[in-house]
Structure formats: structure tokens, C-alpha cells
Amino acid sequence: YGLYQGPWASIWGDYSHLNSVTLDPVRQIVYTCSRSLDTVFALQRYTGKVLWAVGRLGTVPLTDDDHDFGVLSKPHIFHPAGNDRYYTFDNHYTTAYVNGTWQANMSVNQSRIVLMQRGANGFRPIFRYNGPNRFAGGGWVLLPNHTFLAAFGETPYTIIEGTLNREVTLTGLVRD
């Protein structure tokens, strides 16, 4: 703290806030997911060289025909799902540059899970599911049978199991 004085320092106090690090052992790529920078970086495993980035500081475009996705918004996880697909969980906060600083508008957040496809023209979401309430925490995993298991919120967590056709097959709460 105190070392970084750039535009994102005022949002959370630590400019990168890495929420996840994932190794792709086949491609020898390390994915780092920076919540405060709204960016995922793909690093060459042994050199640390940035191969590409997606999100607010991205080198690879992120597009959405619905204009709802925009940049990654406070992402927590980023994992490869095979066939140039990746999944992420983010808080869907809106951020704006106000009076010389980046500020997050937390009043409009609704955490979401997103499955993205990387193609020749960059990333685009192919599946999106918004959490049932305005929760800030959670995560998800894509299961081998093409269903997902997601958790939204803080104690109690809302647990959802569903399909990529947006069919919810199971919901529940987990309490302390």
C-alpha cells in the first residue's frame, strides 16, 4: 500500500487485488485474475511474459452483442474450460472515472457467472447467469457433464446447479 498512485489506487487500496491464479499445464500459461484492474492476464509460465490480457487493460478485445458485458467487472476467478472457452465470476459493478479517480458504483452490482469463447476477433460471452440477488461474493465451476455449480453471496450462500441452457436444476442455501 502507498506505493502505487495510479487511477485504480483509490478503489480498493491495493491496485491489483489478485483473486485467482490458474495454471494451464498443457499450454504452460498462468492466468492471473485482477479484481481491482478488471483484467485477466495470461502469462508465459517460466518467463512471466504477458501473452495477452482481457478486460479493462486488455490487449484482446472483449465484445458482446447485448452490450451488457463490457469489461470484466471485479472478477474473482478465471479458468480455462477447454476449446478456447473460459469461465469467470464477477461482481458486475459499474466503474466510472469521477473527479480524477476511478470509483465503483456498488449499488448496481449483481454478481454473475460468464462462459466466454475466444476466437479470431477476441472474447465474447456465450453463456451468462446473473445471481438471484445483489451479492458480491461467490464463484462457480463448470462440471464435466456441461452443467454448472455456483455459489452466490456471503453466509448464507445461495447454491445453484444448472445447465448452460439456463435451466436451474437445484437451488439451496448453505448456512454456518
Side-chain angles (χ1 to χ4, degrees):
Y1 297 161
L3 297 176
Y4 179 77
Q5 300 300 318
W8 294 279
S10 63
I11 294 178
W12 305 108
D14 70 310
Y15 71 95
S16 64
H17 193 110
L18 293 180
N19 266 342
S20 71
V21 176
T22 304
L23 172 64
D24 181 337
V26 174
R27 293 182 177 178
Q28 297 295 304
I29 295 175
V30 175
Y31 302 101
T32 61
C33 181
S34 173
R35 182 175 181 247
S36 293
L37 297 177
D38 300 323
T39 305
V40 172
F41 299 92
L43 310 172
Q44 196 170 45
R45 181 177 184 185
Y46 294 105
T47 67
K49 177 184 175 187
V50 176
L51 301 173
W52 51 263
V54 63
R56 188 180 339 160
L57 302 179
T59 59
V60 176
L62 177 61
T63 59
D64 184 6
D65 295 336
D66 297 333
H67 305 290
D68 178 46
F69 191 71
V71 298
L72 293 172
S73 181
K74 306 297 171 250
H76 287 250
I77 61 171
F78 186 87
H79 293 290
N83 299 322
D84 284 322
R85 296 178 312 152
Y86 301 84
Y87 63 92
T88 187
F89 173 93
D90 73 18
N91 293 136
H92 202 188
Y93 291 147
T94 58
T95 54
Y97 197 67
V98 179
N99 297 325
T101 62
W102 283 99
Q103 298 180 8
N105 180 356
M106 295 182 199
S107 66
V108 297
N109 81 299
Q110 182 176 20
S111 292
R112 63 190 174 176
I113 57 178
V114 180
L115 181 64
M116 296 182 285
Q117 179 77 48
R118 182 170 184 193
N121 296 323
F123 284 88
R124 66 178 179 80
I126 57 175
F127 171 76
R128 180 178 23 231
Y129 185 89
N130 289 334
N133 295 304
R134 291 173 44 190
F135 294 133
W140 77 298
V141 63
L142 190 60
L143 301 173
N145 62 355
H146 303 288
T147 62
F148 67 86
L149 187 62
F152 293 94
E154 298 171 11
T155 307
Y157 290 95
T158 299
I159 305 294
I160 296 173
E161 185 174 349
T163 71
L164 297 182
N165 293 327
R166 292 180 182 79
E167 298 165 353
V168 173
T169 58
L170 176 70
T171 61
L173 290 178
V174 177
R175 301 183 188 276
D176 285 348

